[in-house]
Amino acid sequence: MRITRVSSRALAALGPTAALAAGLLLGPAVAPAVADSTPSASPSGDGSAPTEAGTSFRTATEIDQGRTATASGSAGDYLYWSFPADSGQRPTVKATVKLPKSHTAQTWQVDVYDGLRRRQACQYGAQTRTAAPGTASVELACVLRTVRAWSEPWANDPLPGTYYVRLTALGLTAADLGLPVGAELRVDSADIGGSAAVDGSLAQPLVPGIAVTSGGKKDDSSASAVLSSTEPDDGWSSGWWSDRWVWTAIGAVLAALAGIGGYTLTRGQGRPRHVPPGA
């Protein structure tokens, strides 16, 4: 997010009152903007990280952002994980595959899908890599686009909800099929902030299984039905608030102060008093 800098000369030109008002407004707004640019890497929850992966979308292992999940499997298996992503976040998926000592060249790939199981493109990162024979491990990465609070129905933009990660090997030879492998997966997000804000929000995040599994008793009509229980630590955002409102208010106040200062500098000294003829 771009941070607007106001020079001391500009504030001095507006006068001490304007400088004080701008300082009070800019002070609390700059600190969150700087803090939001760092990825969220603090573990959430007090449980241990998952040590297994699912084999399909329906059995995907749920993980929290900022935690490293591990799993053991065989070359040729499909490994699935799921994680929540909210509006304004730019998730980064990193996977490490530990290979056996003896193997031929293997190509591994990590794919990310949203709650509607639409494959999401990676902005950058090594999504597919080939490990040479005898390589101990291979590292993959996928940086997604920023999650939007709302999008057109025909668009393929990332939206708030559950995201799936699929890790697998491509084109394995018969000699490598079934060899034991280990996998590590970690998801972190950078908070992009108001620069990615849009005017709109989803009625509900894209969490699959809304009408499949009930979170309460069968006879409880008010129970919410969800298949995925993961969500951001502070809950799903409403989509209408962003720091763009803060910077818009700051711009309006500075514009008003600049107008007052310009009027003060350019106004005349007042009309001369009327002097009667012959006085």
Side-chain angles (χ1 to χ4, degrees):
M1 182 175 59
R2 182 175 298 173
I3 302 175
T4 304
R5 304 183 185 274
V6 181
S7 64
S8 58
R9 292 184 178 179
L11 293 177
L14 294 177
T17 304
L20 178 60
L24 292 175
L25 288 172
L26 288 174
V30 172
V34 176
D36 289 345
S37 63
T38 59
S40 173
S42 58
S44 58
D46 53 359
S48 59
T51 57
E52 60 182 9
T55 57
S56 66
F57 285 101
R58 292 182 59 84
T59 61
T61 299
E62 298 176 354
I63 63 174
D64 294 324
Q65 293 192 32
R67 307 192 68 179
T68 301
T70 59
S72 299
S74 302
D77 291 343
Y78 286 92
L79 304 180
Y80 285 84
W81 294 268
S82 65
F83 67 93
D86 206 356
S87 58
Q89 293 184 340
R90 180 180 293 168
T92 298
V93 178
K94 295 183 179 180
T96 301
V97 182
K98 298 180 180 180
L99 305 173
K101 295 181 179 179
S102 177
H103 65 84
T104 62
Q106 294 185 9
T107 300
W108 286 82
Q109 179 171 304
V110 60
D111 298 298
V112 183
Y113 300 83
D114 64 7
L116 299 178
R117 299 186 184 180
R118 302 176 302 180
R119 184 175 181 272
Q120 293 296 319
C122 302
Q123 278 191 317
Y124 49 88
Q127 183 181 7
T128 304
R129 272 188 172 176
T130 300
T135 304
S137 63
V138 59
E139 296 183 354
L140 307 170
C142 175
V143 180
L144 298 177
R145 295 172 294 168
T146 303
V147 179
R148 297 163 57 90
W150 179 86
S151 178
E152 295 288 348
W154 47 262
N156 195 35
D157 296 325
L159 295 171
T162 301
Y163 282 77
Y164 295 94
V165 180
R166 184 179 71 182
L167 179 65
T168 187
L170 306 176
L172 284 174
T173 61
D176 288 340
L177 190 63
L179 289 179
V181 296
E184 293 182 357
L185 185 80
R186 183 182 179 91
V187 180
D188 293 297
S189 286
D191 194 349
I192 304 305
S195 60
V198 295
D199 295 329
S201 62
L202 298 179
Q204 294 291 338
L206 299 181
V207 177
I210 294 297
V212 176
T213 305
S214 176
K217 298 180 180 179
K218 294 183 178 180
D219 57 351
D220 186 3
S221 59
S222 63
S224 60
V226 293
L227 182 62
S228 176
S229 60
T230 57
E231 65 177 22
D233 294 337
D234 53 354
W236 300 103
S237 65
S238 61
W240 69 272
W241 169 257
S242 70
D243 55 2
R244 184 176 61 173
W245 292 95
V246 177
W247 291 103
T248 301
I250 292 174
V253 172
L254 292 178
L257 294 175
I260 295 174
Y263 173 77
T264 303
L265 295 175
T266 58
R267 68 178 181 177
Q269 299 297 327
R271 295 182 180 180
R273 293 179 298 175
H274 178 70
V275 179

